[in-house]
Amino acid sequence: MPHGSRLRATQPLIDRDGSCPAVYDLERARLVEVPEDFRFHAAQALEAGNLDDALIGWLAAEDLLTYEAPPADAGGPAGRASWAALPDSEERRLLGATFVAGKALHCHPPRATEPALRLVLARRLTEAGCSALVVHLSPGETVAGAGPLGSTLRGLRISAELCGAEILFRLHCAGAGLEDDLVQLALEQGIELLVPATAPPALVRGLLARLPSQVTLVARLDTGQPLRELWRRARELGAPRLDATKVADAPFAGLAVFEAELREYRRDLFAVADEMLESLAGETAAVPVFEPLARAARRHLAGRGAELFGGPAEPPLDPPPRALGGLADCSACWAAALCGHGPRNAADGAPHRPAPRADRCELWRAEAEVALLLVLRLEEAGLLPTGVGQGRGASLPEPFVVPSFWRLDELEPC
């Protein structure tokens, strides 16, 4: 390489045929397409540092080979936002798991109906300088009934509006049937319902009939549970969104090994991405938004990677348990700014989300990789409007937008 030059931090993206159609510029959150002549050897050459003159010329032309100084260390290859100040013990009790991501304050109050919660949230919104509030409601909130809960939510909405902030409610359902008055409340207050994918089909279809854009199916996929079957169920039910957390915690049976599980998951991710692309292009009917792909794509398209990787308002977790491949190290992970499972689960802060671990992270990095390749295909097909990637003023295709909440989505991937 020319004297004094250096390669920017990049991650080759591998397609299903083993080729490398693009590399991800980690320093600038930028996708760079690889010329066809280099696609079957660029990844290996970059990894080994064995660059020929042709590759060096392309890297220099794309400014991947640069004379710029490396960016200042911000806590990892993709940077990290600062940890917010810890609330005091009474605030912690009222707010539950709480963190700031982008300019959105997320909280998981154990009981949303406590009167003091409104005052605490208003103060925290002002102190944190947040312009959006996301309140995650537990299944226990439905026990109080629509009357008390509705009064509380209206009060929270008024408090947020007085602070100049948007507000979104997300209700984590237990899978049991919801009373009609609670469904009506969800319609009035714009509550997003997170419904287990294992819920009875009649219940899901009933909710979709009344709340067609406010239902997200959620699931945990363990060893031997393929994504394709869950995807088919969500598509048949007509769900607008599917959010699955893939792990490999159950023991492997017979000759099954983790690498086979990873290969199968990648195949399913590519198949889901194909269907999303065909739907966007108008070639097929609408399909569900697969949130793990859409979440990573939103973070990339916002063009603000490190800012979107918000820090929680709680101390870091203890080191995760050892597993296949040892400990996870988010600070060294190329996909950290795109991932929804980082420290305190920056995608939504839900306490039930599994923590990063080496084997799980392999599965989650596959989601980020397929998401970026999907963005590349959308760009090639002309399905991304001009201005996307600047994070402001551009509208995104449907799979990357939570309906009716684009301004909030611009601040923090839901």
Side-chain angles (χ1 to χ4, degrees):
M1 293 191 297
H3 180 70
S5 66
R6 69 173 184 89
L7 280 175
R8 296 187 185 275
T10 57
Q11 173 63 34
L13 304 176
I14 307 303
D15 210 338
R16 70 195 87 190
D17 63 356
S19 67
C20 175
V23 295
Y24 193 47
D25 179 349
L26 301 177
E27 296 178 11
R28 297 175 293 178
R30 176 171 166 254
L31 275 172
V32 180
E33 193 167 355
V34 176
E36 291 205 16
D37 291 348
F38 302 152
R39 291 188 175 184
F40 282 96
H41 72 279
Q44 295 87 341
L46 287 169
E47 183 177 350
N50 186 19
L51 307 176
D52 57 28
D53 290 343
L55 267 177
I56 289 176
W58 167 67
L59 291 167
E62 294 290 350
D63 196 29
L64 294 174
L65 185 64
T66 180
Y67 288 94
E68 290 181 11
D73 182 18
R80 295 290 184 274
S82 300
W83 295 91
L86 283 173
D88 61 31
S89 58
E90 177 60 15
E91 287 192 9
R92 186 190 297 275
R93 183 188 70 79
L94 289 168
L95 299 179
T98 310
F99 69 95
V100 175
K103 294 185 179 179
L105 174 66
H106 288 241
C107 68
H108 294 74
R111 290 298 304 274
T113 51
E114 293 203 39
L117 182 63
R118 288 175 55 183
L119 297 175
V120 170
L121 279 175
R123 185 163 69 85
R124 289 289 291 161
L125 272 169
T126 303
E127 290 178 351
C130 291
S131 55
L133 172 65
V134 186
V135 182
H136 299 256
L137 306 170
S138 69
E141 298 295 346
T142 63
V143 175
L149 181 58
S151 177
T152 299
L153 299 190
R154 283 186 284 273
L156 289 173
R157 187 176 297 280
I158 292 172
S159 297
E161 289 174 352
L162 289 174
C163 297
E166 293 182 88
I167 189 167
L168 172 64
F169 301 110
R170 310 185 83 197
L171 175 58
H172 298 252
C173 303
L178 291 174
E179 300 295 333
D180 285 347
D181 54 354
L182 284 167
V183 175
Q184 182 62 32
L185 178 64
L187 181 62
E188 294 172 357
Q189 293 293 325
I191 302 173
E192 181 188 355
L193 300 181
L194 306 184
V195 182
T198 53
L203 169 64
V204 178
R205 290 194 174 97
L207 291 174
L208 288 171
R210 298 185 63 179
L211 307 166
S213 65
Q214 292 170 229
V215 176
T216 298
L217 292 184
V218 294
R220 181 185 175 109
L221 290 175
D222 210 327
T223 305
Q225 297 177 323
L227 170 60
R228 59 182 175 274
E229 294 181 5
L230 179 63
W231 174 254
R232 182 166 55 249
R233 176 182 174 84
R235 194 177 52 194
E236 291 172 352
L237 288 171
R241 290 178 298 280
L242 171 64
D243 194 351
T245 301
K246 177 61 178 172
V247 296
D249 294 349
F252 290 95
L255 297 176
V257 293
F258 177 75
E259 287 299 323
E261 187 86 2
L262 176 60
R263 285 195 298 272
E264 181 180 51
Y265 189 52
R266 280 178 57 89
R267 282 195 298 268
D268 288 352
L269 286 172
F270 276 118
V272 167
D274 288 344
E275 292 194 33
M276 291 174 67
L277 179 64
E278 290 167 2
S279 176
L280 263 181
E283 299 172 4
T284 62
V287 299
V289 176
F290 187 58
E291 277 299 304
L293 294 183
R295 184 179 295 124
R298 282 196 296 265
R299 291 187 169 208
H300 164 67
L301 290 171
R304 297 186 290 162
E307 291 182 43
L308 290 175
F309 193 78
E314 299 201 23
L317 291 170
D318 293 330
R322 290 191 175 275
L324 295 173
L327 297 178
D329 182 4
C330 293
S331 67
C333 178
W334 71 267
L338 307 174
C339 177
H341 302 272
R344 283 295 182 194
N345 312 307
D348 63 12
H352 62 275
R353 290 271 189 181
R357 201 177 68 189
D359 54 335
R360 297 169 180 168
C361 292
E362 283 293 315
L363 299 163
W364 302 337
R365 275 190 286 269
E367 295 170 354
E369 188 169 30
V370 175
L372 291 173
L373 290 174
L374 174 59
V375 170
L376 181 66
R377 295 170 68 191
L378 287 167
E379 291 174 346
E380 292 172 345
L383 295 173
L384 288 181
T386 303
V388 165
Q390 304 308 312
R392 305 181 190 279
S395 58
L396 298 183
E398 179 63 23
F400 307 121
V401 179
V402 177
S404 302
F405 299 115
W406 163 235
R407 284 187 60 203
L408 176 63
D409 188 62
E410 192 176 36
L411 297 173
E412 203 284 319
C414 297

